[in-house]
Amino acid sequence: MSNGKRLHPVAIFFLFFSALKELLVPLIAAFVFGRGASSWEFPFTVYFVVGGFLLLFLYGYLKWVTFIYEVTKEELKIKQGIFIKKQRYIRRERIYSIDITAGVLQRLFQLVAVKIETAGGGNEPEVLLSAVTKQEALDIRKQLLDGEKEDQEIHSETERSELRPKKAWILPKNHLFLAAITSSGVGLAFLALMAIVTQLENFLSEQLLINSFGYLFQSSIFLMGLLVIVLVILSWIVSIVGTLLKYGGFTIKKNGDEIEITRGILEKRQLTLSVTRITAIRVVESPLRQPLGLATVYVESAGGGSKDEQLSTVLFPLIKKRELLTHLQDVVPDYAFEYPIQSLPSRSKKRYIIRKVVPGAIIAAVIGYFIPFGYVIAVSILTFAFLLGSLQYKDAGFGRNVSFLWISYRTISKTLVILPKQRIQALELKQSIVQKFRALFTIKVSILTSIIGKSFRAIDVSEEQKEEILSWYSYEKERG
């Protein structure tokens, strides 16, 4: 690896902060709980903190100086390791996506990070180049993803123009605002705010808490309800700001079989995916968006997913459902066709309702017994469980054509997943003892994604429907 390169020297600080972040919790625990065993008086505390920071900085420097990468026409070579030297070779055809991001720290130094994903690469990127110049990142992406194209001789200006990225879709500002105000992130923000509220006792004086919250709890239900409403509104504002920062400037560019997705205001992200490596597309209608005819579209692929999006990639943050086929035609035309849904047999309906009502009844009984006037909440829970079970039955179903299978289902949100036959890793048939009495079956379909794969189920299909799906997928009939 004589022509290898090192990351930008600023990477030393990124590696230092990364190590500090991992050790932060144990360090705080040692500082707080270790007081009884050792002396933490000045100047020992200062020596401890300064010595720890120097060690972490030395660790960052050694990691930087021992990390060398080299990109060739055939592969990416990585050499790393402080005590144990490792060399990795990742062939170009194994690379499924390259994600270029520029966080706040990187942008201060006009640098970017490059995340390189391969099939089954795990929960973390296969390779992370935490600090390179933007031009270097573009060269790496071009060399690893466009290498085959460079090998081909381009004869005419027409051919050259066909290879230039074309804008395929831009998230309109009014849709960005709609996506923000209908985001399901309000629930997470509310839980985070509640967690902060429960920790106030650690930071405020006991007397202040008694004066403020004691008065509140002794007041009317109206004031307590008002507090909940204030927290919900704050959560909504936090969720709106987070969505605007995350999806601001969302643009999709097409370059042949490659999709280039750019998004983000604080952290700019540029992800390049190959259309040929998409393993499924999901169309999700949340309860807030479904009445407005709006949906979010996700891409499942072997590489490229992120943790905050359940290891999927957002293709369209928000679109009108009636315009779905038009947008898919512009970006992934193979997936643009009608999806007629075959409903499940009517005898499945009872099972869908029972699966929700039984656990709901247990929770309702406990609340009704232990909480004063809990019967009001108990009735609400039972009503919600019944309606949810009925809706899940109504929205469940599947469809197919020669090359695709699509499954419709609902958890809380309604989801339509479209699966290419050639990308299905396995199709599994299950039947429980209870299902056997009703002659019902569960079909489980597995695909490859960023980690080990994802599965989607059509629950309580009839025997005829089961045979139809198995016959569609199996090669046994073709061999016969």
Side-chain angles (χ1 to χ4, degrees), residues 145-199:
L145 293 184
D146 300 345
E148 291 177 5
K149 292 174 188 170
E150 285 186 345
D151 295 340
Q152 300 169 358
E153 188 178 356
I154 301 172
H155 296 284
S156 65
E157 179 57 33
T158 304
E159 289 173 320
R160 290 190 189 96
S161 64
E162 286 177 355
L163 291 177
R164 289 181 194 130
K166 298 173 182 174
K167 285 190 179 178
W169 192 80
I170 299 174
L171 178 64
K173 287 182 179 175
N174 59 336
H175 281 202
L176 174 61
F177 182 69
L178 264 178
I181 62 176
T182 58
S183 170
S184 57
V186 63
L188 293 175
F190 181 77
L191 290 175
L193 282 177
M194 288 298 291
I196 292 172
V197 169
T198 58
Q199 296 301 313

Side-chain angles (χ1 to χ4, degrees), residues 21 50 55 62 123 134 140 166 174 208 213 238 259 284 307 321 325 364-365 382 390 394 397 409-410 438 448 463 473:
K21 183 181 171 185
V50 173
L55 281 175
L62 290 175
N123 206 17
K134 187 171 183 180
I140 291 171
K166 298 173 182 174
N174 59 336
L208 180 61
F213 285 90
V238 170
I259 302 172
V284 179
K307 288 180 185 175
K321 181 77 182 297
L325 297 187
L382 282 174
S390 300
K394 178 176 174 287
Y409 63 92
R410 175 187 290 275
R438 309 288 290 179
L448 187 65
E463 184 156 7
Y473 183 70

Side-chain angles (χ1 to χ4, degrees), residues 218-234:
Q218 290 170 10
S219 302
S220 63
I221 295 177
F222 173 77
L223 281 179
M224 293 182 67
L226 192 63
L227 174 65
V228 173
I229 291 171
V230 169
L231 284 176
V232 169
I233 292 174
L234 282 175

Side-chain angles (χ1 to χ4, degrees), residues 23-179:
L23 292 175
L24 199 57
V25 173
L27 283 174
I28 291 174
F31 188 78
V32 173
F33 299 109
R35 285 172 178 271
S38 307
S39 170
W40 293 89
E41 300 297 328
F42 182 84
F44 180 81
T45 304
V46 175
Y47 295 153
F48 177 82
V49 172
V50 173
F53 274 70
L54 286 176
L55 281 175
L56 288 178
F57 186 82
L58 179 63
Y59 170 79
Y61 172 77
L62 290 175
K63 282 205 76 172
W64 172 79
V65 83
T66 55
F67 186 97
I68 297 173
Y69 69 94
E70 181 184 0
V71 182
T72 68
K73 288 179 69 174
E74 293 81 20
E75 61 193 358
L76 170 66
K77 303 176 183 177
I78 302 288
K79 182 180 178 183
Q80 62 183 332
I82 298 174
F83 301 106
I84 300 174
K85 303 291 183 187
K86 291 193 294 186
Q87 291 192 39
R88 299 173 62 194
Y89 299 85
I90 301 174
R91 296 192 63 79
R92 197 177 63 191
E93 57 268 24
R94 281 199 64 228
I95 295 171
Y96 277 19
S97 70
I98 295 181
D99 195 355
I100 299 175
T101 60
V104 176
L105 286 176
Q106 274 106 358
R107 289 165 72 180
L108 284 176
F109 299 96
Q110 297 183 327
L111 298 172
V112 297
V114 181
K115 300 175 185 176
I116 298 170
E117 303 267 9
T118 61
N123 206 17
E124 298 294 335
E126 185 81 359
V127 174
L128 173 62
L129 306 178
S130 58
V132 296
T133 62
K134 187 171 183 180
Q135 186 56 50
E136 173 71 6
L138 295 176
D139 290 344
I140 291 171
R141 185 178 67 183
K142 185 177 179 59
Q143 204 158 352
L144 291 177
L145 293 184
D146 300 345
E148 291 177 5
K149 292 174 188 170
E150 285 186 345
D151 295 340
Q152 300 169 358
E153 188 178 356
I154 301 172
H155 296 284
S156 65
E157 179 57 33
T158 304
E159 289 173 320
R160 290 190 189 96
S161 64
E162 286 177 355
L163 291 177
R164 289 181 194 130
K166 298 173 182 174
K167 285 190 179 178
W169 192 80
I170 299 174
L171 178 64
K173 287 182 179 175
N174 59 336
H175 281 202
L176 174 61
F177 182 69
L178 264 178

Side-chain angles (χ1 to χ4, degrees), residues 7-8 16 22 32 89 104 120 135 153 160 178 223 225 227 240 245 249 324 334 371 373 378 401 431 454 459 470:
L7 300 174
H8 192 281
F16 162 78
E22 290 180 9
V32 173
Y89 299 85
V104 176
Q135 186 56 50
E153 188 178 356
R160 290 190 189 96
L178 264 178
L223 281 179
L227 174 65
I240 288 173
L245 293 176
L324 172 65
D334 289 346
I371 299 179
F373 302 102
N401 59 22
Q431 186 182 41
K454 280 185 179 177
I459 301 174
L470 288 181

